Amino acid sequence: DAGVIQSPRHEVTEMGQEVTLRCKPISGHNSLFWYRQTMMRGLELLIYFNNNVPIDDSGMPEDRFSAKMPNASFSTLKIQPSEPRDSAVYFCASSLAQTAAIGYTFGSGTRLTVV
Amino acid sequence: AQTVTQSQPEMSVQEAETVTLSCTYDTSESDYYLFWYKQPPSRQMILVIRQEAYKQQNATENRFSVNFQKAAKSFSLKISDSQLGDAAMYFCARYTQGGSEKLVFGKGTKLTVNP
């Protein structure tokens, strides 16, 4: 199993541009999570999906952020327009909903820098 | 908000010695799980050890063990015979079943291992 795959690994963009982060969960996992990691706030859950349906998006900071999961093997997190304060590492994680208590499997993260 | 607190931003240990990382948490649920994740410089989030709240016996994984004090809501990680490869950020996390089913993280402890 290739694990959770995120792309790109690094992204540098200019303020105001649209940014799309991508995630491929582990095959068979039906829960997917997007986290943001910053020095100040640590790891924050932005949104999670069960069976491709968004369950809790209360962590999404504002309307500039949106996430989709069009099928069980792909999810995107989009920021439009991007701002310097969005600079962070964004992680995607997946699990089986029935066994989420075993722990999540994380991707390697996307380091986003907005200049 | 139900939180996870790691009071030690940084710790250091000599190679081959033992170190304990602290974590306290808050929850009103009776069914929950606790985790320690390791994040080396590669950025990958690696599950180190897991504890079910209903189990009194402390979890162990090779050189890693926990001291779970349920009444005190304390969950510390002990690393024995520390190795240079143990140097990383360590995150304590709580997963609550039946409530807001998501993994909530502490802000992390940076562990340095000195040769």
Side-chain angles (χ1 to χ4, degrees), chain A residues 1-7 22-29 31-32 72-74 92-95 104-109, chain B residues 44-45:
Chain A
D1 193 340
V4 177
I5 300 172
Q6 290 187 247
S7 64
R22 297 173 175 80
C23 176
K24 176 179 169 57
I26 288 176
S27 178
H29 281 188
S31 292
L32 183 139
S73 59
F74 184 66
C92 176
S94 71
S95 75
Y104 302 172
T105 303
F106 283 79
S108 298
Chain B
Q44 185 70 45
M45 293 288 287

Side-chain angles (χ1 to χ4, degrees), chain A residues 29-91:
Chain A
H29 281 188
N30 57 356
S31 292
L32 183 139
F33 310 84
W34 283 101
Y35 282 84
R36 178 172 67 177
Q37 184 179 28
T38 60
M39 289 292 292
M40 289 297 295
R41 301 174 67 90
L43 279 153
E44 305 171 278
L45 179 66
L46 299 178
I47 186 170
Y48 77 94
F49 297 83
N50 274 355
N51 296 316
N52 312 338
V53 176
I55 301 300
D56 183 354
D57 65 354
S58 60
M60 296 285 263
E62 49 198 273
D63 292 345
R64 297 184 298 104
F65 286 69
S66 63
K68 294 183 179 179
M69 191 163 187
N71 58 62
S73 59
F74 184 66
S75 177
T76 59
L77 178 67
K78 185 178 294 185
I79 308 172
Q80 165 64 17
S82 57
E83 297 182 3
R85 61 192 168 120
D86 302 330
S87 297
V89 178
Y90 291 81
F91 284 99

